[in-house]
């Protein structure tokens, strides 16, 4: 039984996901991952519905959703910029790249532009140390970044 | 059980196979320092304060979690161990406010005590990296202070595993990790029952009760106010612990004397309205039993339990007795019957409760709890807060003479006293219901089957032909089991007593720290000792209750009773605030 029947909720899609995993608490990560794909983030309502179905308190589901950086509990921009904060990128000037992005978009890490286009985040190592400093925008990777280059890249979106 | 021999600091001890190093060391007379460890809970091994050397092991081992094996050689006090413990503690302290003098747990803090024990004398690490968070003072009963939290997760365990509430859990990651409600919202916006079991196990001041001491001091100093105090049954067997007495002492007389010295105008006993609860609730039960009312009927004394059923089983509220809790009955009568009798304007009567409970602070603020037009109860002090006030006043508790409660609300029976322990309300009710229904005297007033700390207890009582099956649960995890039985239609009980906290009120969230299951058992013994020592053991024999009905209430479940002593409940649901995405 779903706790709420708010018609704005993606209930049919979510029900299909929950049915697939047969209410198993062990499948929480998979359920969260697929549920996030419905509209890009995990709202309180969605977390509550998952909690009800899986039989885990919402506080624990929220704990899992906020532990993993790829889960979102608030709406994000259409493009998520993930800038590497690991040591090799740091040594190769990631701070300057970050400063350029912050200046171009007027947001700080963890924030979203008012038009809902970009979200800026840190990420741990992307495995692109050979072309450090590096970042990703959604699924695309970018390396050998400089302040100028990152401005061009952002403006091309 | 297979026994193994281990060597702890050169001494050989024999312990059951599978024991922890901590237990083996205890047997060798060594108390290894711990912080996240709690004797009643699963081991979490979060804090690494209890590390020891195990000969042959590559790294230091956590004594709380590492099981011993035959022939193991353990060193608990080497330079490496001392250094590791101290550094682990100093790192915890580097993110902890250096604010001990202003802290509610000053001198009663496990972290502070460890800093002393491990010889921390300077702050070597000035690297406070954790972002600061505001206090959460949203609930009536509790304050959360995330900055003080050391992430030991005891509160999480008690909230999820013992109480099955799950209001708070670890959220976020790394340096941003906090113990918080879902969505990072205020505690008041999730289904927290405010039982305060978290505050009872918190080693620091990351979660504690809302302070009512200042308003009580103000009332006591106000010449306009006639300040009356009521003491819950469980206080008399626990307040001594606030002054270093051994758990399990009955200190009723000293408690009365202490309150009188604090300046209360009348010192009354909640046991009186516990007796009254039995009369009302007993008749309500007989009425439901004989007239086809909703059964099983469930007791309603425990405000944490009430909030639990309102959140988690809102469709079953008609199973609850409509009786107010003894605390609220007391307040309602203090500002009506007593006010009239004493010729005092109820607006000048200030009712203070001493409760083993944090949820009582929530209960007294429920809008329906103002039968006289004024709040039934104005302030609720936990046992800990009373301890604090008595220390402030310089009252030497152990030196006090034993004094008697004031009339008329100080005349009580053993049935009222046992409300403080799990099973006590049921036993008190059975003592009365049996005699009212059968019109015969009970051969023995002791219903031993419903006593003790066990989570769920059952008994069957023969009311001369009518068999009544009863159940008693303490701790909300056990309450949930009974509720699920009712939900599935499998509960063949007629009457259920539920107490929110493990062991009943003697184990309440407002009781002295520490409260462990061992200490709970000692307090329970003391409660039954207090009961056995009283001349009257049955609520319906309480002469002051009889007078109250003659002079004022008329009859049980009468019009006046309904107006003053009964209440209604609120469907809250599991997700009380409609959350935003």
């Amino acid at each position: 039984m779903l706790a709420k029947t708010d018609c704005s909720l993606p209930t049919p899609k979510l029900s299909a996901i929950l049915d697939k995993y047969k209410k198993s608490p062990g499948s929480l990560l998979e359920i969260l991952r697929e549920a996030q794909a419905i509209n890009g983030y995990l709202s309180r309502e969605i977390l509550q519905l998952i909690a009800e179905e899986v039989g885990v308190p919402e506080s624990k589901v929220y704990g899992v959703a906020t532990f993993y950086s790829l889960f979102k509990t608030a709406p994000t921009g259409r493009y998520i910029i993930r800038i590497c904060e690991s040591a090799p990128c740091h040594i190769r000037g990631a701070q300057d790249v970050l400063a350029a992005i912050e200046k171009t978009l007027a947001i700080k890490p963890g924030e979203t532009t008012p038009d809902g286009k970009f979200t800026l985040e840190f990420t741990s190592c992307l495995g692109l140390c050979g072309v450090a400093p590096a970042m990703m925008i959604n699924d695309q990777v970018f390396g050998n970044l400089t302040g100028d280059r990152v401005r061009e890249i952002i403006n091309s979106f | 059980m297979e026994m193994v021999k281990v060597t702890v600091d050169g001494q050989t001890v024999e312990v059951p196979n599978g024991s922890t190093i901590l237990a083996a060391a205890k047997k060798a007379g060594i108390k290894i320092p711990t912080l996240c460890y709690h004797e009643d809970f699963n081991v979490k091994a979060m804090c690494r304060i209890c590390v020891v050397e195990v000969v042959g092991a590559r790294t230091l081992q956590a004594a709380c979690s590492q099981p011993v094996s035959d022939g193991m050689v353990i060193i608990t006090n080497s330079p490496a161990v001392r250094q590791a413990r101290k550094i682990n503690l100093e790192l915890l302290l580097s993110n902890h406010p250096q604010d001990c003098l202003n802290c509610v747990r000053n001198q009663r803090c496990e972290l502070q005590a460890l800093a002393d024990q491990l010889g921390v004398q300077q702050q070597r690490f000035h690297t406070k990296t954790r972002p600061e968070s505001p206090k959460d003072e949203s609930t009536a009963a509790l304050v959360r202070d995330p900055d003080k939290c050391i992430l030991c997760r005891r509160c999480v365990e008690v909230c999820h595993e013992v109480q099955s509430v799950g209001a708070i859990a670890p959220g976020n990651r790394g340096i941003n990790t906090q113990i918080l409600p879902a969505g990072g919202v205020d505690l008041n916006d999730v289904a927290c029952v405010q039982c305060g079991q978290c505050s009872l196990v918190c080693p620091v001041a990351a979660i504690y009760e809302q302070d009512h001491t200042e308003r009580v001091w103000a009332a006591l100093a106000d010449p306009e106010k006639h300040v009356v105090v009521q003491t819950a049954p469980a206080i008399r067997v626990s307040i001594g612990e606030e002054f270093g007495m051994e758990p399990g002492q009955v200190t009723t007389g000293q408690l009365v004397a202490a309150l009188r010295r604090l300046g209360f105008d009348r010192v009354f006993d909640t046991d009186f309205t516990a007796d009254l609860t039995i009369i009302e609730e007993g008749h309500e039960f007989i009425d439901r039993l004989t007239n086809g009312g909703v059964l099983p009927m469930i007791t309603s004394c425990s405000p944490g339990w009430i909030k639990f059923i309102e959140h988690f089983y809102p469709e079953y509220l008609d199973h609850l007795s409509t009786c107010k809790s003894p605390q609220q009955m007391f307040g309602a009568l203090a500002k009506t019957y007593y006010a009239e009798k004493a010729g005092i304007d109820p607006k000048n009567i200030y009712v203070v409760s001493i409760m083993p409970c944090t949820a009582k602070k929530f209960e007294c603020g429920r809008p329906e709890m103002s039968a006289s037009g004024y709040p039934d109860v104005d302030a609720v002090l936990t046992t800990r807060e009373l301890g604090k006030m008595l220390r402030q006043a310089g009252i030497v508790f152990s030196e006090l003479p034993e004094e008697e409660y004031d009339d008329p609300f100080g005349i009580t029976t053993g049935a009222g006293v046992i409300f403080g322990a799990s099973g006590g309300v049921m036993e008190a009710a059975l003592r009365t219901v049996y005699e009212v229904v059968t019109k015969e005297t009970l051969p023995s007033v002791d219903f031993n089957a419903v006593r003790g700390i066990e989570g769920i207890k059952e008994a069957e009582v023969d009311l001369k032909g009518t068999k009544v099956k009863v159940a008693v649960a303490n701790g909300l995890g056990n309450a949930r089991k009974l509720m699920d039985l009712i939900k599935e239609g499998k509960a063949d009980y007629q009457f259920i007593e539920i107490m929110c906290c493990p062991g009943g009120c003697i184990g309440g969230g407002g009781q002295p720290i520490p409260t462990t299951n061992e200490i709970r058992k000692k307090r329970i013994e003391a409660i039954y000792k207090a009961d056995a020592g009283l001349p009257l053991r049955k609520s319906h024999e309480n002469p002051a209750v009889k007078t109250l009905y003659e002079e004022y209430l008329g009859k049980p479940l009468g019009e006046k009773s309904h107006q003053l002593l009964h209440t209604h409940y609120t469907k809250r649901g599991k997700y009380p605030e409609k959350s935003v995405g």
Side-chain angles (χ1 to χ4, degrees), chain B residues 296-307:
Chain B
M297 186 177 94
I298 313 178
T299 58
S300 57
C301 312
S302 169
W305 150 242
I306 294 300
K307 198 159 184 279

Side-chain angles (χ1 to χ4, degrees), chain B residues 120-138:
Chain B
V120 174
Q121 295 194 325
Q122 57 165 323
Q123 197 187 354
R124 289 197 293 158
F125 306 127
H126 293 273
T127 51
K128 193 169 184 325
T129 40
R130 180 159 73 174
E132 287 187 12
S133 298
K135 280 185 191 173
D136 173 0
E137 302 187 75
S138 60

Side-chain angles (χ1 to χ4, degrees), chain B residues 345-461:
Chain B
D345 186 341
K347 90 170 183 318
N348 290 327
I349 295 183
Y350 194 87
V351 176
V352 177
S353 313
I354 316 294
M355 291 285 146
C357 183
T358 54
K360 289 280 173 197
K361 290 176 188 271
F362 166 78
E363 184 186 44
C364 79
R366 293 178 69 119
E368 65 273 19
M369 295 293 179
S370 46
S372 63
Y374 303 97
D376 296 343
V377 173
D378 297 285
V380 174
L381 299 172
T382 61
T383 320
R384 299 190 289 266
E385 285 176 287
L386 176 61
K388 186 168 132 185
M389 288 183 73
L390 294 176
R391 285 190 293 275
Q392 281 177 18
I395 292 168
V396 185
F397 191 80
S398 57
E399 308 271 305
L400 292 172
E402 295 190 32
E403 292 184 6
E404 297 285 331
Y405 284 104
D406 290 310
D407 289 347
F409 295 161
I411 300 168
T412 62
T413 73
V417 174
I418 58 175
F419 265 57
S422 164
V425 178
M426 181 58 72
E427 181 168 347
L430 291 176
R431 289 178 189 176
T432 289
V433 167
Y434 182 91
E435 298 202 350
V436 170
V437 171
T438 65
K439 316 242 184 304
E440 288 179 17
T441 306
L442 266 174
S444 161
V445 296
D446 297 328
F447 290 84
N448 288 315
V450 296
R451 295 184 180 183
I453 201 168
E454 197 190 326
I456 297 177
K457 294 162 279 187
E458 290 178 339
E460 198 170 64
V461 184

Side-chain angles (χ1 to χ4, degrees), chain B residues 235-236 238-245 249-259 386-387 390-391 394-401:
Chain B
I235 309 298
R236 68 208 66 201
S238 65
I239 182 69
E241 293 167 42
E242 281 290 311
F243 300 92
M245 293 166 76
Q249 314 281 317
V250 183
T251 56
T252 319
Q254 288 93 330
L255 172 63
V256 173
L259 291 166
L386 176 61
L390 294 176
R391 285 190 293 275
I395 292 168
V396 185
F397 191 80
S398 57
E399 308 271 305
L400 292 172

Side-chain angles (χ1 to χ4, degrees), chain A residues 28-48:
Chain A
L28 183 57
L29 281 182
E30 287 303 306
I31 294 171
L32 288 172
R33 201 174 59 78
E34 293 194 27
Q36 176 161 288
I38 298 171
N39 57 7
Y41 77 105
L42 297 160
S43 65
R44 284 289 302 282
E45 282 92 341
I46 285 181
L47 292 179
Q48 286 167 7

Side-chain angles (χ1 to χ4, degrees), chain A residues 65-77:
Chain A
T66 54
F67 183 83
Y68 294 99
S69 56
L70 292 182
F71 288 137
K72 308 290 163 208
T73 53
T76 55

